Amino acid sequence: MTQSFYIISWMDVLVSFVLIALSIGLIRWMKIGLEQSLIIGTIRTFLQLGLMGYVLTWFFTQDNWLFMVCLILGMILIAGFEGTRRQKEYKIPHLFWILTGSILTAVLIVLGIILKFILDVEPWFYPYAMIPIAGMIIGNALNSSTLAVNRFIGEMKHREHEIEMLLSLGASPRNAIDDAMKSALRAALLPNINGLMMVGLVQLPGVMTGQILSGVDPLIAVRYQIMIMYMWISTVAITDILVLLLVYRQFFTEKAQLKKSLLRSAL
Amino acid sequence: MTPSTLFSLSQVSFKIGEKSILNSIAFQVFQNELLCITGPSGAGKTSLIRLLNGLQSPSSGTLLFHGKTLSEMDFTLLRKKVGMVFQNPVILEGSVRDNLSLANRWAQSESGFQDTDLMLSLDKVGLSAIPLEQNASDLSGGEQQRLNLARVLLNQPEVLLLDEPTANLDGKQADKILDLVRDLTQSYALTTVMISHDEARVRQYGDRILYMDQGKFVSS
């Protein structure tokens, strides 16, 4: 058998609507009442990703480092904005800049190492590598830092008396929240570490599946996937630790007093 | 001889949001006295002693410790000198040793508490029979309150602030704790400010009793 690379035409994609029709049939049969949402979601997926294909094609032809840097910065700002929106009930001061700065730091470190030392691309802003990898880093950093902040605030609320007791003994705010922070970071990192344990045993990860379907040698696809797994864990570690180290300060006054009203304002 | 003043408050008010908790309070705490502050729930007693430990700051007015404005002081140092025992004992997971040596987590290695320090502190609060390895959450309510007191005493404070130390104890246990507080105040030349809504009980222990209601001191 020779290695083949099957191109999907737009017509083929339309045929895949059969799968949606099947799902709608099942939903109607079970009277779950989600037909309308599914139809809207189906159309949005088609339009958003279709449009993204054309946009990416255009991006990939841009042979301009300044354009690429602005593009990545724009993606980071959007992630910072989205992360702040997700946490809006907490009213944490400076959260937008905390998220944006932390994600930017993770991108600089992780993307820098990958582009320069692993892929060694030429030019350094090679769009085919830079855009998808930066996208993965930013998306992952956004999701995990949002969860870490949520978890951290939950821990601080749960441990409010403990934190004040430690402060009253002369602990600095950093020492007083140490257990809460460790607990939140453990919760944020553990799923990713478990992911490292289980990868490939139950299902093939998305990137690798996509590459194999596109005709890439599985051994090459596997190497990419390994790099991406390591990239994910380092992104989560860098972003979550930075974000929490900056977020906890917002919950204390300069006199090392817990801002109880801010903590309680959070749902 | 006039006793020296440790805390001096004048025109101190404290608000949470728009709600006024303390209204223009003025009073002094003198060295080596056992001062009891009583009054109904919601009178502002807890807020007042939280100001003395620096867990919160006055909205207005002057609060001096040893003649210095509190806001000029290093708060972590102040809190070691002015120890606070909360109404509900805070017991963390782990042994009695873990609970007593919390400060070792942030102390420089050579200045951390040793087991002998911990045992001495347990002895001061009448818990010398409790082994350091014992799980702290297995202690009774009264013992947990004493453990909290022992933890504060490890810092060798000048001032002891006690927030309703007898609130969760039966009559006999409550008297034992109050006896202990009086003994500690005298034996270690401490200055103690204790708040309680149980006026009848604390009356016989305090060198001075102050009454609070609606964020102010009132005459009894």
Side-chain angles (χ1 to χ4, degrees):
Chain A
M1 195 180 76
T2 52
Q3 184 184 336
S4 334
F5 168 41
Y6 298 97
I7 295 176
I8 297 187
S9 67
W10 285 112
M11 207 53 220
D12 295 332
V13 175
L14 288 178
V15 174
S16 69
F17 279 145
V18 171
L19 300 170
I20 296 295
L22 178 67
S23 309
I24 290 176
L26 287 171
I27 284 171
R28 289 200 97 146
W29 180 52
M30 290 299 288
K31 298 190 175 63
I32 306 171
L34 286 173
E35 297 93 327
Q36 203 183 347
S37 303
L38 177 58
I39 290 169
I40 293 172
T42 304
I43 296 169
R44 283 189 62 163
T45 299
F46 187 85
L47 292 178
Q48 284 165 207
L49 287 182
L51 187 67
M52 184 49 72
Y54 286 105
V55 172
L56 280 176
T57 308
W58 185 72
F59 282 165
F60 288 164
T61 57
Q62 301 306 304
D63 190 18
N64 180 337
W65 69 268
L66 188 60
F67 175 83
M68 293 306 297
V69 169
C70 289
L71 179 68
I72 304 295
L73 284 178
M75 289 160 71
I76 293 170
L77 285 171
I78 292 170
F81 179 76
E82 171 61 15
T84 312
R85 198 188 59 79
R86 288 186 198 172
Q87 305 282 351
K88 65 173 181 265
E89 73 267 34
Y90 295 140
K91 296 184 181 62
I92 302 170
H94 315 300
L95 184 63
F96 171 76
W97 293 110
I98 290 173
L99 289 172
T100 306
S102 305
I103 297 173
L104 175 65
T105 308
V107 168
L108 285 175
I109 296 171
V110 180
L111 188 65
I113 290 174
I114 290 176
L115 292 185
K116 179 72 193 157
F117 299 108
I118 300 176
L119 299 179
D120 197 14
V121 291
E122 189 60 47
W124 62 269
F125 57 88
Y126 182 57
Y128 278 88
M130 196 168 185
I131 294 176
I133 293 174
M136 277 193 281
I137 295 172
I138 294 166
N140 218 38
L142 168 64
N143 288 331
S144 75
S145 59
T146 310
L147 286 175
V149 169
N150 267 337
R151 177 75 187 218
F152 179 58
I153 292 174
E155 284 287 335
M156 288 224 295
K157 280 179 163 181
H158 177 63
R159 296 166 185 261
E160 185 187 318
H161 295 297
E162 175 189 325
I163 291 170
E164 285 220 304
M165 180 272 287
L166 290 167
L167 290 175
S168 80
L169 282 176
S172 65
R174 173 71 187 82
N175 289 320
I177 55 92
D178 196 50
D179 281 348
M181 187 179 282
K182 280 180 183 157
S183 184
L185 285 175
R186 235 177 254 129
L189 287 172
L190 206 57
N192 291 281
I193 293 173
N194 286 339
L196 291 177
M197 311 286 181
M198 289 306 292
V199 68
L201 296 183
V202 179
Q203 69 178 80
L204 297 180
V207 173
M208 196 174 132
T209 310
Q211 281 191 312
I212 293 173
L213 280 174
S214 314
V216 174
D217 180 347
L219 279 174
I220 297 176
V222 158
R223 279 179 244 153
Y224 265 94
Q225 188 63 48
I226 292 173
M227 178 191 79
I228 283 163
M229 299 298 291
Y230 298 166
M231 176 182 93
W232 274 343
I233 194 84
S234 60
T235 301
V236 171
I238 293 168
T239 321
D240 291 2
I241 290 172
L242 264 180
V243 165
L244 293 194
L245 282 175
L246 295 167
V247 159
Y248 92 81
R249 289 162 203 265
Q250 312 307 320
F251 283 87
F252 291 91
T253 68
E254 56 186 20
K255 291 171 187 161
Q257 296 156 334
L258 182 64
K259 291 182 189 170
K260 292 169 105 169
S261 53
L262 178 62
L263 192 59
R264 287 172 186 176
S265 75
L267 295 171
Chain B
M1 197 178 85
T2 331
S4 57
T5 308
L6 271 190
F7 280 106
S8 176
L9 285 77
S10 63
Q11 310 265 301
V12 166
S13 296
F14 177 66
K15 284 181 179 178
I16 296 178
E18 287 304 301
K19 195 180 171 202
S20 188
I21 309 291
L22 298 172
N23 296 311
S24 203
I25 291 242
F27 84 112
Q28 272 138 22
V29 179
F30 302 110
Q31 206 150 25
N32 302 132
E33 71 169 335
L34 200 172
L35 171 64
C36 295
I37 301 174
T38 74
S41 297
K45 304 185 298 294
T46 299
S47 292
L48 179 63
I49 63 166
R50 285 170 60 86
L51 292 182
L52 302 183
N53 181 259
L55 281 178
Q56 51 203 27
S57 296
S59 309
S60 62
T62 320
L63 170 46
L64 304 175
F65 177 59
H66 281 301
K68 271 190 184 167
T69 314
L70 233 59
S71 53
E72 293 168 9
M73 301 189 65
D74 174 342
F75 271 54
T76 53
L77 264 178
L78 167 82
R79 288 170 185 158
K80 283 180 189 165
K81 286 185 182 170
V82 184
M84 176 148 171
V85 179
F86 294 82
Q87 177 173 350
N88 296 311
V90 182
I91 296 294
L92 306 188
E93 250 178 62
S95 64
V96 169
R97 180 189 283 109
D98 297 334
N99 269 275
L100 280 177
S101 58
L102 289 173
N104 283 2
R105 295 183 189 178
W106 59 84
Q108 305 295 329
S109 55
E110 64 274 18
S111 62
F113 299 125
Q114 306 298 318
D115 277 2
T116 46
D117 303 319
L118 307 184
M119 287 191 287
L120 193 66
S121 196
L122 283 179
D123 190 44
K124 284 181 187 172
V125 298
L127 289 182
S128 51
I130 304 278
L132 290 174
E133 296 75 29
Q134 179 160 343
N135 193 332
S137 44
D138 292 342
L139 299 177
S140 71
E143 288 170 333
Q144 292 191 350
Q145 192 60 282
R146 283 166 191 258
L147 182 61
N148 273 245
L149 195 52
R151 184 159 61 198
V152 170
L153 290 174
L154 274 164
N155 274 340
Q156 298 183 310
E158 278 179 63
V159 183
L160 208 50
L161 306 172
L162 304 165
D163 186 359
E164 301 274 6
T166 61
N168 303 312
L169 305 176
D170 60 36
K172 207 172 159 188
Q173 285 292 327
D175 284 336
K176 279 186 176 176
I177 283 278
L178 293 176
D179 282 336
L180 173 66
V181 168
R182 187 173 52 195
D183 291 348
L184 287 170
T185 306
Q186 287 167 359
S187 312
Y188 298 99
L190 292 169
T191 303
T192 302
V193 181
M194 174 164 69
I195 63 174
S196 172
H197 64 274
D198 189 354
E199 185 194 329
R201 177 161 274 123
V202 295
R203 175 168 277 283
Q204 49 186 313
Y205 290 93
D207 298 324
R208 210 156 49 107
I209 313 271
L210 294 173
Y211 300 85
M212 269 187 93
D213 195 15
Q214 298 187 333
K216 282 185 170 176
F217 285 115
V218 290
S219 49
S220 54

